Amino acid sequence: MNLTVKQVFTDIEHIYLNLAQAYEAEFSKIVGKAPDEDGIFPLDTQLDESTFGFICYVDNVPAGIAAISQNSEYEFEVCEFYIVPYFRQKQLGMQFSHKLFDLFKGHWQIKQIAGADYATLFWQETLRCYQVGQFSEDTFSDPYWGKVTRQKFSNL
């Protein structure tokens, strides 16, 4: 399995947006979001000058996406993370996330909404296996998302 990660620029933005629709559809029941009359889900995270999109490819096939927000020079957040179901259970998500962590050194946070217990388990295992090995976890009430689980770690 040949894994590569590419940052999203105009030339591959359409691929990112296609996979973002699959991501939104997967979470639609949890967040109570329906598509519009054209069958398109509104995106919660827009890519801009401080939020970068990435696509994970396996043998040149797009297999996942991530949106990473840079909140300050050394503060990062995983805003969106999605692996196409076909590619799950192959450690791809872990490899993809570790590559992203290695791109940006600093203080990180990752959040999961209530009802996405499988995502929380994924991130706990992924962070345990990452080279820093230690992370903190808490829960809080987010004004937009409601109850959220959050992991924090530093890789400076």
Side-chain angles (χ1 to χ4, degrees), residues 34-52:
D36 66 17
E37 60 277 354
D38 294 321
I40 304 295
F41 287 94
L43 301 182
D44 287 308
T45 301
Q46 302 296 322
L47 303 183
D48 57 29
E49 62 278 347
S50 64
T51 303
F52 315 108

Side-chain angles (χ1 to χ4, degrees), residues 48-63:
D48 57 29
E49 62 278 347
S50 64
T51 303
F52 315 108
F54 295 90
I55 301 174
C56 172
Y57 290 86
V58 172
D59 299 324
N60 297 315
V61 175

Side-chain angles (χ1 to χ4, degrees), residues 95-113:
Q95 292 174 49
F96 182 25
S97 62
H98 289 181
K99 285 183 178 280
L100 294 171
F101 298 153
D102 289 343
L103 284 175
F104 302 101
K105 299 298 184 186
H107 306 289
W108 284 83
Q109 65 176 337
I110 308 159
K111 301 175 191 169
Q112 305 89 52
I113 58 174

Side-chain angles (χ1 to χ4, degrees), residues 60-128:
N60 297 315
V61 175
I65 60 168
I68 306 297
S69 179
Q70 185 171 7
N71 302 324
S72 72
E73 185 177 1
Y74 295 106
E75 292 183 355
F76 304 95
E77 180 178 349
V78 177
C79 298
E80 312 286 1
F81 192 88
Y82 175 73
I83 300 296
V84 173
Y86 175 83
F87 292 101
R88 293 179 188 168
Q89 306 302 319
K90 300 174 183 175
Q91 303 285 323
L92 177 68
M94 188 178 294
Q95 292 174 49
F96 182 25
S97 62
H98 289 181
K99 285 183 178 280
L100 294 171
F101 298 153
D102 289 343
L103 284 175
F104 302 101
K105 299 298 184 186
H107 306 289
W108 284 83
Q109 65 176 337
I110 308 159
K111 301 175 191 169
Q112 305 89 52
I113 58 174
D117 297 339
Y118 59 93
T120 300
L121 292 173
F122 165 79
W123 286 113
Q124 290 168 340
E125 180 64 17
T126 295
L127 293 174
R128 276 189 207 98

